[in-house]
Amino acid sequence: MSQQSPDAAVLDEEGGGSSASVINDFSIQVATVNGSGSQSANLVLMRSIFRMGIPVSGKNLFPSNIAGLPTWFTIRANKDGWTARRKEIDILVAMNPATAREDVLDLEPGRVVVYEDRLNLSELRSDVIFYPVPFAKLATEITTDSRLRKLLANMLYVGVVGELMGIETQEIDAAIRKQFKGKKKAVELNMQAIAIGIRYTREHIRKIDPFRCERMDKTAGKIIIDGNAACALGAMFAGVTVATWYPITPSSSLCESLEGYMKRYRHDQDGKATYAIVQAEDELAAVGMAIGAGWAGARSMTATSGPGISLMSEFVGLAYYAEIPLVIFDITRVGPSTGLPTRTQQSDILSLALLSHGDTRHVVIIPGTVEECFSLSLEAFNLAEELQTPVFVMSDLDLGMNNWMADPFQLPTRPLRRGKVLSAEDLAEAGEFGRYRDVDGDAIPYRTLPGTDHPLAAYFTRGSGHDADAKYSERADDYVNNMNRLKRKYDTARSMAPAPVVHDDPDARVGLVAFGTSDVAVGESRVQLEREYGVRTRYLRLRALPFTAELDAFIDRCDRVYVIEQNRDAQMSMLMKMELPVERIGKLRSVLHYSGLPIDARFITDELIAAERKENG
Amino acid sequence: MSQQSPDAAVLDEEGGGSSASVINDFSIQVATVNGSGSQSANLVLMRSIFRMGIPVSGKNLFPSNIAGLPTWFTIRANKDGWTARRKEIDILVAMNPATAREDVLDLEPGRVVVYEDRLNLSELRSDVIFYPVPFAKLATEITTDSRLRKLLANMLYVGVVGELMGIETQEIDAAIRKQFKGKKKAVELNMQAIAIGIRYTREHIRKIDPFRCERMDKTAGKIIIDGNAACALGAMFAGVTVATWYPITPSSSLCESLEGYMKRYRHDQDGKATYAIVQAEDELAAVGMAIGAGWAGARSMTATSGPGISLMSEFVGLAYYAEIPLVIFDITRVGPSTGLPTRTQQSDILSLALLSHGDTRHVVIIPGTVEECFSLSLEAFNLAEELQTPVFVMSDLDLGMNNWMADPFQLPTRPLRRGKVLSAEDLAEAGEFGRYRDVDGDAIPYRTLPGTDHPLAAYFTRGSGHDADAKYSERADDYVNNMNRLKRKYDTARSMAPAPVVHDDPDARVGLVAFGTSDVAVGESRVQLEREYGVRTRYLRLRALPFTAELDAFIDRCDRVYVIEQNRDAQMSMLMKMELPVERIGKLRSVLHYSGLPIDARFITDELIAAERKENG
Amino acid sequence: MSTTTTPPRTNRLGLGIGEYKGGDSTLCAGCGHDAITSQLIRAFWEYGVEPQRVAKLSGIGCSSKTPAYFLRQSHGFNSVHGRMPAVGTGAMLANRDLVAVGISGDGDSASIGLGQFCHLLRRNVPMIYIIENNGVYGLTKGQFSATADYGSKSKGGALNDLPAIDVCALALEMGCNFVARSFAGDPKQLVALIKAAISHRGTVLLDVVSPCVTFNNHEGSTKSYPFAKQHEELLHEISYVPFFEQIEVDYEEGSVVDVEMHDGSRVRLRKTERDYDPTDKAAALAMLMRTNHDEELLTGLIYINEGQPDFLASLDLCETPLARLGSEAVVPGESALHEVMESLT
Amino acid sequence: MSTTTTPPRTNRLGLGIGEYKGGDSTLCAGCGHDAITSQLIRAFWEYGVEPQRVAKLSGIGCSSKTPAYFLRQSHGFNSVHGRMPAVGTGAMLANRDLVAVGISGDGDSASIGLGQFCHLLRRNVPMIYIIENNGVYGLTKGQFSATADYGSKSKGGALNDLPAIDVCALALEMGCNFVARSFAGDPKQLVALIKAAISHRGTVLLDVVSPCVTFNNHEGSTKSYPFAKQHEELLHEISYVPFFEQIEVDYEEGSVVDVEMHDGSRVRLRKTERDYDPTDKAAALAMLMRTNHDEELLTGLIYINEGQPDFLASLDLCETPLARLGSEAVVPGESALHEVMESLT
Ligand SMILES: Cc1ncc(C[n+]2csc(CCOP(=O)(O)OP(=O)(O)O)c2C)c(N)n1
Ligand SMILES: Cc1ncc(C[n+]2csc(CCOP(=O)(O)OP(=O)(O)O)c2C)c(N)n1
Ligand code: SF4
Ligand code: SF4
Ligand SMILES: [Mg+2]
Ligand SMILES: [Mg+2]
């Protein structure tokens, strides 16, 4: 049993792989080369499944170059909504001669290969199902333009797979209309390709595999979006006014989406922009501009990935110490250094929490879903201004660049919170002002904005020692008081940071802690654990640093807590150890996944069961 | 008792402050403004005490500007060799009108004030001893040149204090000859000033304070040096060939000393330099050059302080991941941000240990004395090349820029260790080469240097994913294997890093862990703890990251372990928690000092006793 | 208040010059930077800039401390070493109504900050950018900076063996439309240039030789008071006629060139023997190259090109400073979100 | 091996051109960078540089990947974005015998790396520095870089509203003694320039327009193949006579200028109608300014000044590369330590 992959087991139970049907629970992987234009085809395929009412996700595994190298697009459809990555592929569409062999050999028995006839793959093994299709030849039926032909060959496999899986043609057509919105010619040509694919399948392929789509109702009203676009929407609806960035995968599309949305929705009556988006010369400049803007009263942000975070380190220490609000998106990828720029990982946690020399401690917001990319990004701007500190939003490549299903986003009912800013009138009334005084006992001081028309307004901001009135000081007591206040401010942040999401189970003794994109895989794994092993679990998903009281309470309810992370060094767990009392530390265990591929449920299940077995003797 | 400062208690015991003598145990503080030329006078005063055979240290507390602001130079003489900072000042030399009032009011009762007559300080209080001296007037006796007069006024107080304390004139004169070596005129003038000071004292001051010097023999053969010069010597004798830097307090003098030494000792027969020292345009360039040099086979280094460390972050991740040797000196100051550039702190520990995004972990060498500044800096170069990784040497402003006594340095008997470098001959013999293969099972690979004349020599270095043969790879297995090897390499480092220094005491239940410059204060505190409170302690001084097995064993022998650090966030303790098993974590407590002034024994003693009282109910 | 004391001199806003001062300087007595500070105070006072509209920005260094010593009623930001351009750019994005004064050092701008400096110029961010140029790192005690002249001598006697970066030539190369050089020891010229700078829209680069009396005022230095005094060559005599004080004076035909600034003020250049046209960029570059070679310290308005769009113009920003926009202006309504959501189904 | 096949063509070291090749390119088919790679291979082969003496250095970008595609027998270092100059400087400090070839992109050098780029030039670090200039960030999918021309159009249709940085003019300003521009579509010129570059001591700046076929080869781009072909203006026809092949050819009087390189090779410039003197820096700057304004793509040897000391010379380094010095050369003896200790008692 433990040797056997449970998905295979499911197949077995349903009768040996090929005969009984597997409905609305499969992964399709399209293997192509990048730059070949297959992206549209893949999105059409994904969306047509979505339109069948079946929960679905799409993940693009692409190389760090622009064209000509192997790329894999994986669509996972799952009737229960488990759309994290799954290691096993059910239907392989093998379009790339360079990887076809390995791709086919990697399959579990009983799975399906749709492939370009000329690749002669069927000789490779006898325990998978081969459906050869003469794609190149079929493409010649549509057009004589060779460039177009290459593009359309992609749409052919959508037709083939759609027909094989029982996807309704009208849904494919609708997906095509959406994909090529407004481009009539493209819509027509692509629909033609689909039709040819369908026709070929009907005429030449005898379906012997079990995988099938059936209409359900789990996607009605839902949207499909990537996390970066969702973050961008969150920023726009947070009223961001200054966004600065420097291109870097996988964060670039965040600012590019933002620019697209802002162009449409953020102009005044005269058609003038109510925002500035600036492509800086590098990340030091990007974060420096965002700091200057935050200081001067804009809602400001920048977005980057690991190397940029490292470069921002000095400036972030300034913002912490001088107490300047801004939001920094870190869409993480695989480190260290340039690492694997197009793979996913959660390995910047320690960097973000502690960024910069000296005693620093940062607020980090960690969305786990595209909906949270929207709502928590929006909230991050409130927190930054309320707390007067840099706030990080940590997403990752998997969440940021892949396609996820979600309920439509809602605007928050609470208005924007702009924090403690004194106007000229406030100053006139108060008659005094000290920039770094702890007036309210929450360790958060008041600030004024440059340009405030009152003689008391001005103060001097600096990253060197200062007293409560922002005067230069090298005095030990001023320094210590200020640093202690900053520490208290971090404690204030505990009560304001988004609380964890807890899925409790009074009968469970084992706890799981995860965060970010691991969420879907953890959810699926919990089902596996209970169904296959009878292991019930509680689950807490962190959504922010600093930790809040819920974490302590959660650990107290568990015998053991597995912290599930996508990094080598158990970084979140390390932060927990740095803070938690020893009784709680003693309960912590780690499940670590850091290959650069998104974590999958089976991995978690296997690791956890192995650990539990050890634990229990 | 607990309300009373124990030093006052000592006075009391000896009979009420003024009557009985206090021999060879005092602190002198000279309060001046910077840029006033008092530094030479202070060094002469310190050295003349040193020449009396009395252990001594000199600490300069200076502002972050160039001239005109308050500066305090403190000389501590202590017959038992406890020369850490002490909070209480016994003899104040008040030369700065701007701070004289506060300086005087800060004194404990019974202490001494030597001051410029015109400042009229004696009215401030009646419980300290005042010796007014008309410095300005006396100076006119020596010269009419007003600039010179200002300088010489400083030497006058050396004469006065020397005479008051019973320092032998010949030792002062010898110290002057050393200070102004070769400058005959200066020697003469300064000796004249000393003589005038002495004469004035004899004629006009009736000594009623108890503080006195008596010749002893505790400094014979010893040297006085600052840590930065000692690090520079370590680097030179390690055979450093490329040193790059960017000026920043308090690290600048390290490279400036290095340049001085190298100019003298590091030329070949033709008078050509066997080294390159380059002032880079910033810290990114400085570390980049050191990386390029390390890659190409030089022993390379750079030196900086907190802000520079932050800026080096991206590059250091590259060096870690691409496995390039270099040594980075961090002479720490008070953070965050620009912080207090001329104050001391140990608050870059977490930054250094974890520097850069992604999973990284660095080797950090932590000298605690000037002797170790020499020997461990030297060793750092061996480790960097043996381990093929960036190695940090963490010193601080107190160690780096202040004057410390030590035994003369010794060259190590072991020859330089240059690590696993394959020559053309090695390659010819081996017939194969893979840059990142773990040939020896210690996770340390072999490397070749550019320019190696063999067709197998070349490989391609990159900060992106690579396989064991240094080929570009985005494969999950290559990535994971490589990262796991790097983790194992860090474990290899455990057996090579300098072991902690342990002062054990089989009867002690309380353990102390400290590192760096806290050492002297901890030593003194241990005596206080035992003498005054009967609390015996074991003491382990860390000298490196990663931690070695000694730490575990030490903690196991203690009931409680106080980790003494000069930072707000208990950074070393955090690192210990990240690594240690929970039983050991449970024993950890913290003593934190982070005002920017060097930690002192009394602070440790008070904090520890308070904590112990709480601990014991 | 009705006693008859002579009223303090006030500017057009009714403010005395005292309102334009800052905290006490902590620089060395005689430092060139303090001289520049005085001229900044005077120029802003004479022009009559509302102090509250000014944002003072700097990096790190002795020079970068100076914003604390003038315009106490203006917000100031002493940021990190070499990165003031970014901070200033961000501040101007947030509030286009600000008058940004950036003060930097030669180390701050030409060494660590060279990249940001160039990119600020290239963007034409509205800011008066003053480099208090002493050829050394003052605050870290006298190392050569990247503007130290080739062959100049350090206090310790070392010779600089790298060529100097000419920040004026570089600014021209980067497209800056107002490039001037002055000398801390030439208050009249400096005040006129600063006032002209206030009148310019876009980046102004003002390179002011500002001797470091502690580390670079010795024999052999090319940035010392004596050297600068001996080698200063005026391009022209410069004066400034503010828009609110247009007095006509007769000048000899051809002896004077007036440059009209965007706020209506005029910069008046009275010719020296040089006959220099500050609107000819190629000539400006050639002249800098030649005078650098000849070790002349050329001062005056090196290049001016009025009327070019600044960075904010190219971003097409709304009139109201972004920092002052209320929620209603920056949060698109429910319907916008709905529209986006629809497109994603 | 004694069968009679035609022997492969070999260079003066007896190596075939294959020995100068690298791994397979992973760039887009038709990318200008690959064209440059081919010319690098050819030039190094023709010159006969020992591959093992070469160090290939780069930052990050499509361009920065190219060192993997040539000279497989040379060590290569693909470092971090914009910081190759520092790494290259360090490598040359460590081993002065290396021939350093730095490959960078316009984003790598003119955006994030501008500061390091300038300082490398200012130091005159011996390195052939090639900017594969396509006006965009290729690897991050087509954003404008700082060399994108004002008004040029992105693939998405956006207009660039910032002025381009001219890396050649900048290099001149920074004191570079060998500044040239070429075009990936002009192999003959490029090979000659690279060989001349190998012969130069000090920094060589080679700005090569290298169209990005995927993101910047459309109508409206000023860095596309069609645009470059249409607007290329040769300063001269350039050829290279290596020191080991001094053939004399007669040229019409005054039609040719020979520049003698430090290794004895000669660069031969055959005049076009322009009559251009590549040793006049002011003229070079003026010409760049004018041709940039006129949207001409000027190619050829823009400026050369042979015989200047490079950075290593100014450091007075010993002959043996520092990396090769043994302990005996770098560890001062016991007596030195003793002397220092004595001075500290
Ligand atoms: C990142 C960083 N590196 C180094 C320093 C140290 N530092 C402070 S000021 C300065 C140089 C200042 O020189 P310059 O800009 O010319 O100003 P000046 O003091 O000469 O006016 C340096 C290197 C720092 N503060 N931050
Ligand atoms: C610090 C950092 N920031 C951003 C990136 C992302 N990045 C990779 S290549 C590149 C631009 C490359 O442009 P260019 O140098 O012009 O090279 P090209 O691809 O056009 O040849 C960027 C921004 C990075 N790798 N590192
Ligand atoms: S050190 Fe030089 S630059 Fe700094 S304040 Fe003193 S004189 Fe001025
Ligand atoms: S994206 Fe552009 S620069 Fe990059 S490889 Fe493709 S064509 Fe070349
Ligand atoms: Mg300076
Ligand atoms: Mg490019």
Side-chain angles (χ1 to χ4, degrees), chain A residues 486-541:
Chain A
L486 285 169
K487 193 169 177 158
R488 291 201 315 277
K489 189 167 88 167
Y490 200 65
D491 281 328
T492 298
R494 281 177 214 284
S495 60
M496 294 160 67
V501 175
V502 179
H503 299 273
D504 226 329
D505 179 339
D507 296 330
R509 300 172 57 186
V510 171
L512 308 180
V513 169
F515 53 92
T517 34
S518 303
D519 187 46
V520 216
V522 173
E524 184 177 1
S525 169
R526 291 179 71 216
V527 175
Q528 292 174 345
L529 285 165
E530 178 161 6
R531 244 195 240 153
E532 299 171 18
Y533 299 97
V535 174
R536 296 175 69 159
T537 55
R538 300 170 194 266
Y539 170 35
L540 178 144
R541 178 164 61 85

Side-chain angles (χ1 to χ4, degrees), chain A residues 48-331:
Chain A
S48 56
I49 298 171
F50 172 74
R51 296 185 64 92
M52 293 280 291
I54 309 164
V56 73
S57 69
K59 293 190 196 298
N60 191 13
L61 193 76
F62 58 104
S64 176
N65 87 328
I66 300 301
L69 291 192
T71 302
W72 296 266
F73 191 89
T74 309
I75 296 167
R76 179 163 180 202
N78 180 282
K79 56 183 181 304
D80 302 316
W82 303 124
T83 57
R85 172 174 164 258
R86 209 185 58 167
K87 261 179 299 199
E88 300 76 21
I89 299 304
D90 298 310
I91 298 104
L92 170 71
V93 182
M95 303 294 283
N96 182 2
T99 64
R101 214 187 122 82
E102 192 168 347
D103 290 341
V104 168
L105 292 178
D106 275 354
L107 292 175
E108 303 281 321
R111 299 320 175 16
V112 180
V113 186
V114 175
Y115 66 106
E116 165 60 56
D117 201 4
R118 290 183 301 196
L119 294 180
N120 280 337
L121 299 178
S122 58
E123 288 144 27
L124 283 174
R125 50 193 285 191
S126 56
D127 58 349
V128 296
I129 299 160
F130 287 100
Y131 301 134
V133 182
F135 287 111
K137 216 177 109 231
L138 291 175
T140 57
E141 288 185 24
I142 323 173
T143 170
T144 51
D145 175 336
S146 75
R147 225 193 112 252
L148 214 53
R149 214 150 56 204
K150 258 192 208 139
L151 290 176
L152 290 171
N154 295 312
M155 211 47 81
L156 285 171
Y157 67 67
V158 177
V160 172
V161 173
E163 178 62 18
L164 272 173
M165 309 293 289
I167 301 173
E168 294 165 21
T169 314
Q170 87 226 40
E171 299 299 8
I172 302 180
D173 287 354
I176 284 181
R177 274 190 301 270
K178 179 147 200 126
Q179 184 70 28
F180 301 99
K181 206 156 108 187
K183 298 182 197 140
K184 200 158 156 271
K185 177 84 186 149
V187 169
E188 268 172 29
L189 277 171
N190 279 289
M191 283 195 182
Q192 200 185 333
I194 297 289
I196 294 174
I198 294 177
R199 198 197 58 213
Y200 180 86
T201 311
R202 289 195 184 144
E203 290 174 4
H204 297 95
I205 299 182
R206 195 177 59 89
K207 180 176 171 77
I208 54 170
D209 70 85
F211 303 103
R212 279 195 32 234
C213 288
E214 264 176 24
R215 186 169 280 284
M216 32 188 320
D217 59 355
K218 287 229 182 144
T219 68
K222 304 248 180 198
I223 59 166
I224 292 183
I225 191 171
D226 62 71
N228 283 352
C231 287
L233 285 171
M236 176 165 76
F237 283 94
V240 68
T241 43
V242 174
T244 58
W245 66 298
Y246 187 69
I248 186 167
T249 308
S251 84
S252 304
S253 67
L254 198 165
C255 287
E256 286 168 335
S257 297
L258 181 65
E259 186 143 20
Y261 290 129
M262 298 287 256
K263 273 197 178 137
R264 186 161 166 81
Y265 296 111
R266 283 285 297 276
H267 289 80
D268 68 5
Q269 308 91 309
D270 307 329
K272 298 273 186 183
T274 60
Y275 66 92
I277 298 182
V278 174
Q279 184 186 316
E281 63 270 31
D282 63 12
E283 291 87 348
L284 286 95
V287 74
M289 290 177 192
I291 287 172
W295 173 73
R299 285 214 140 172
S300 70
M301 62 166 274
T302 182
T304 187
S305 191
I309 292 295
S310 284
L311 287 173
M312 292 179 183
S313 177
E314 189 198 16
F315 249 137
V316 167
L318 170 71
Y320 169 79
Y321 192 50
E323 303 181 61
I324 295 166
L326 74 154
V327 174
I328 304 171
F329 290 87
D330 179 13
I331 315 301

Side-chain angles (χ1 to χ4, degrees), chain A residues 314, chain B residues 246-249 283 304 307-308 311 333 338, chain C residues 33 60-64 80-81 104-109 112 132 134-140 143 145 212:
Chain A
E314 189 198 16
Chain B
Y246 187 69
I248 186 167
T249 308
E283 291 86 349
T304 188
L311 286 173
R333 63 189 213 185
T338 305
Chain C
H33 303 350
I60 299 284
C62 294
S63 33
S64 293
V80 289
H81 195 28
S104 181
D106 41 316
D108 200 58
S109 282
I112 188 171
E132 302 188 336
N134 54 17
V136 290
Y137 296 167
L139 192 54
T140 55
Q143 301 85 1
S145 81
C212 170

Side-chain angles (χ1 to χ4, degrees), chain B residues 12-61:
Chain B
D12 283 346
E13 277 159 34
E14 298 189 11
S18 56
S19 53
S21 288
V22 180
I23 312 290
N24 295 349
D25 186 11
F26 55 82
S27 299
I28 304 174
Q29 184 168 71
V30 182
T32 53
V33 298
N34 64 349
S36 68
S38 62
Q39 190 69 354
S40 318
N42 298 332
L43 293 176
V44 165
L45 183 54
M46 177 186 70
R47 194 171 287 275
S48 55
I49 298 171
F50 172 74
R51 296 184 64 92
M52 293 282 291
I54 310 163
V56 74
S57 68
K59 293 192 195 298
N60 192 13
L61 194 75

